[in-house]
Amino acid sequence: MRELVHDLEAEQQHPYDLSSVRSQLAYLMTEAGQHAAALPLWRELLEESITINGRLHLETLGYRTEAADCLGRRGDPTEAVRLLTDATRLEDPPSTNVLGIGRGLSNERCNSG
């Protein structure tokens, strides 16, 4: 299956166009119990999303959660906890995602009071 993903990516002009296909493939592999095959896909998607979107972007957090789920199902809950715990540390300086959430909450308080 990884060869299929590689072939499809080779046909694309942008390497991230097939993220949703790769994500669905990793999800189905996880559900089918093919954790050893799914985990590298989740890790690739996670690293790409960190590079493109930042550590605390919603897409990145989704990939991190899916990778942790796969690790837990594979029988490695300690590594799954570590992977999720990494996401709870705030960046220095905070990402624009965190700043945007903070601004949104601030505006909501101002508008409701």
Side-chain angles (χ1 to χ4, degrees):
M1 284 192 201
R2 292 186 54 79
E3 293 83 20
L4 172 63
V5 171
H6 183 273
D7 290 347
L8 289 171
E9 285 179 333
E11 299 290 324
Q12 301 296 314
Q13 291 185 357
H14 193 280
Y16 306 109
D17 287 343
L18 290 172
S19 290
S20 62
V21 172
R22 292 166 50 221
S23 175
Q24 186 64 23
L25 177 60
Y27 171 78
L28 292 172
M29 292 169 114
T30 300
E31 290 297 310
Q34 299 173 4
H35 307 116
L39 192 54
L41 280 174
W42 286 127
R43 290 191 186 275
E44 288 172 14
L45 288 161
L46 175 59
E47 290 305 314
E48 288 170 7
S49 187
I50 289 170
T51 300
I52 294 167
N53 301 312
R55 215 173 49 78
L56 298 176
H57 189 274
L58 293 177
E59 183 175 277
T60 303
L61 294 173
Y63 290 143
R64 185 178 297 276
T65 301
E66 292 291 351
D69 178 58
C70 187
L71 281 163
R73 290 182 188 211
R74 186 183 75 175
D76 196 351
T78 302
E79 180 63 13
V81 168
R82 186 205 60 77
L83 188 63
L84 291 176
T85 302
D86 284 351
T88 63
R89 291 179 290 111
L90 289 179
E91 293 176 319
D92 185 28
S95 71
T96 55
N97 191 32
V98 171
L99 293 174
I101 291 169
R103 279 191 214 105
L105 290 174
S106 176
N107 289 339
E108 201 172 291
R109 287 187 193 131
C110 290
N111 293 335
S112 67

